[in-house]
Amino acid sequence: MKEIILIKGGELVLKGLNRKNFENTLITNIKRKLRDLGQVKIENLQSTITIEPVDEDFDFETALERVSYVFGIAAFSRACICEKTVEDIYAKAPVYLKDTLLNVRSFKVEAKRSDKGFPLKSPEICREVGGILLETFPHLKVDVHNPDLVVTVEVRDRYAFIRAGQLHGAGGLPVGTAGKASILISGGIDSPVAAYTMAKRGLVLNAIHFASPPYTSIRAEQKVKALLSKVAKYSGPINLAIVPFTEIQEEIGKNCPEDYFTLIMRRIMMRIAERISREHHSLALITGESLGQVASQTLPAIVETDSVVNMPVLRPLIGMDKDEIIRISKAIDTFETSILPYEDCCTVFTPKHPKTKPRPGQCEEAEKGLTSMEELISRAIDDTVYSVVE
């Protein structure tokens, strides 16, 4: 009996004339996820993608786990292929479903018949398959309102499929359908969630981290890589740039008004991130800021931060509260890593009374003490270290 994985594409069906491009990207991403599990045949059949193993020792459980992380998939399930005849469907249903049905008490059958030439209509398929299952498994009862298991029979142009239930996918859009952007990642709770959220909308991610040794340790960098590796389960490989920031922060500490330290640091980070992003074909920056969460995330501060760059800054968490962000971080398994006590450069030289409502021109005035800013920025970019996190 030939078993496959069925993939349902969710909002991809709404993409009109561009739908094929989205589906092709999704198939490419699935192939990349499964490439080391053996050869598979992937087809797109009437808004359903099928994954058919070629190798007999194909690891279905690992494949299902990996598929669950692929953005663009609304739901997925194991299924068996039947010939498009009532006889083959009737014969295979109790055999394929045996192990599953022995562990439930109630079920119902649903049928989807895209081939209108099939001799039975959907209600008839449900009645006949349900009757066979009740006869084969006497312990079962039919419950059409709240069954333990939903058995689905799909009749399509070339084949019929039988499946028992389905699992929720990661949703969103396939990574690679929306361009590329750079996430400014610290080591806290917010930025990994922001990265995940934008990858879910189809963005390929680059990442930029600012390191300030000896004020920050190598463990802080390792923490960032660990966080990105968890995001990469969904997004695919992430190019990481680690920017040396110690000299710049020390110059800010020596030459700028203390209450502007955080704002000036953020503005220089944005300048550096923009230059690195343009070199690596990112079209936007992403940050994990949430409006009003800390002093540098007031609206006036955000306006002054954005004013130094000429590319879009995406803030997917801007309207979320901390509880919402933490809930997502736990769901994607970044929370416990994020709270490890390895400080990032954002905590270095933190002012006692940070400026929260800068007026236009005040940040530029506060930066005048940095007479060698351009030289510092260029040196930091030249000394940036690159790697790939998977």
Side-chain angles (χ1 to χ4, degrees):
M1 191 176 300
K2 189 176 292 185
E3 192 173 24
I4 62 171
I5 299 174
L6 290 180
I7 303 291
K8 304 294 184 179
E11 65 180 289
L12 270 63
V13 300
L14 306 176
K15 292 303 176 183
L17 296 177
N18 290 324
R19 177 170 155 185
K20 190 68 175 178
N21 294 331
F22 283 81
E23 290 173 338
N24 288 342
T25 301
L26 176 56
I27 289 172
T28 297
N29 293 346
I30 293 171
K31 287 180 178 177
R32 186 180 297 117
K33 279 285 187 183
L34 304 182
R35 62 191 172 192
D36 64 332
L37 298 182
Q39 188 177 353
V40 295
K41 179 182 178 183
I42 299 181
E43 291 187 284
N44 189 2
L45 305 172
Q46 299 172 289
S47 303
T48 298
I49 293 171
T50 63
I51 304 171
E52 181 181 342
V54 176
D55 299 334
E56 291 185 2
D57 59 349
F58 183 77
D59 187 344
F60 261 96
E61 293 303 323
T62 299
L64 289 168
E65 180 187 6
R66 293 185 186 180
V67 162
S68 72
Y69 296 117
V70 177
F71 287 134
I73 296 176
F76 61 98
S77 58
R78 298 174 78 144
C80 77
I81 298 178
C82 302
E83 296 298 324
K84 204 171 60 173
T85 65
V86 291
E87 293 80 10
D88 201 44
I89 294 171
Y90 295 169
K92 287 181 177 175
V95 177
Y96 180 67
L97 299 170
K98 177 181 178 181
D99 290 343
T100 305
L101 290 174
L102 287 175
N103 294 308
V104 301
R105 304 300 300 175
S106 64
F107 79 105
K108 75 172 181 177
V109 178
E110 294 182 346
K112 300 180 180 181
R113 186 182 64 120
S114 59
D115 179 2
K116 303 308 179 184
F118 191 72
L120 297 182
K121 295 181 180 179
S122 294
E124 295 171 319
I125 296 171
C126 294
R127 183 177 64 247
E128 295 299 326
V129 172
I132 291 170
L133 295 179
L134 285 172
E135 182 178 344
T136 308
F137 305 101
H139 72 284
L140 288 176
K141 66 177 183 178
V142 174
D143 184 343
V144 297
H145 300 295
N146 189 30
D148 296 333
L149 180 71
V150 177
V151 173
T152 304
V153 179
E154 297 189 33
V155 180
R156 295 179 172 270
D157 287 344
R158 290 165 50 193
Y159 304 108
F161 305 112
I162 300 171
R163 58 182 171 86
Q166 63 181 0
L167 301 170
H168 290 293
L173 296 174
V175 173
T177 57
K180 183 184 293 185
S182 297
I183 173 72
L184 277 70
I185 185 157
S186 56
I189 296 170
D190 302 336
S191 50
V193 174
Y196 162 86
T197 303
M198 296 313 302
K200 189 173 183 177
R201 300 313 303 162
L203 283 176
V204 174
L205 298 177
N206 290 328
I208 301 171
H209 174 67
F210 293 86
S212 295
Y215 305 106
T216 60
S217 70
I218 190 64
R219 289 188 174 183
E221 294 180 28
Q222 292 169 342
K223 177 182 175 182
V224 164
K225 290 179 179 179
L227 288 168
L228 289 176
S229 71
K230 293 180 180 295
V231 175
K233 286 166 61 176
Y234 298 89
S235 70
I238 301 172
N239 293 314
L240 169 63
I242 297 182
V243 182
F245 207 58
T246 308
E247 185 179 15
I248 291 173
Q249 287 194 288
E250 289 176 340
E251 288 297 312
I252 293 171
K254 292 175 185 175
N255 299 297
C256 299
E258 182 183 355
D259 52 341
Y260 283 88
F261 283 0
T262 301
L263 274 172
I264 294 172
M265 177 191 71
R266 295 288 297 170
R267 282 160 62 92
I268 295 177
M269 283 180 172
M270 297 294 274
R271 291 180 177 105
I272 292 172
E274 180 181 27
R275 295 192 195 183
I276 291 174
S277 295
R278 292 195 185 281
E279 289 177 7
H280 294 84
H281 312 294
S282 285
L283 300 178
L285 303 176
I286 306 167
T287 76
E289 291 162 307
S290 171
L291 189 62
Q293 185 170 243
V294 297
S296 63
Q297 296 175 17
T298 64
L299 189 56
I302 289 172
V303 169
E304 288 303 304
T305 301
D306 284 4
S307 69
V308 300
V309 295
N310 292 302
M311 64 166 43
V313 181
L314 308 178
R315 293 181 169 90
L317 313 186
I318 196 69
M320 294 186 187
D321 62 32
K322 201 66 177 182
D323 288 341
E324 293 173 290
I325 298 168
I326 289 174
R327 185 169 63 250
I328 297 173
S329 74
K330 289 181 177 178
I332 64 174
D333 193 31
T334 58
F335 179 75
E336 294 299 330
T337 304
S338 291
I339 62 175
L340 292 174
Y342 308 132
E343 294 186 331
D344 57 64
C345 70
C346 295
T347 60
V348 178
F349 302 123
T350 302
K352 292 181 180 179
H353 303 289
K355 190 76 173 178
T356 59
K357 296 180 180 179
R359 294 192 298 274
Q362 288 183 326
C363 287
E364 287 84 350
E365 184 67 27
E367 288 175 352
K368 285 184 177 180
L370 296 174
T371 56
S372 57
M373 182 192 295
E374 185 58 38
E375 180 183 345
L376 292 169
I377 289 174
S378 297
R379 191 153 56 239
I381 293 173
D382 289 343
D383 294 338
T384 295
V385 177
Y386 295 92
S387 62
V388 178
V389 179
E390 296 186 84

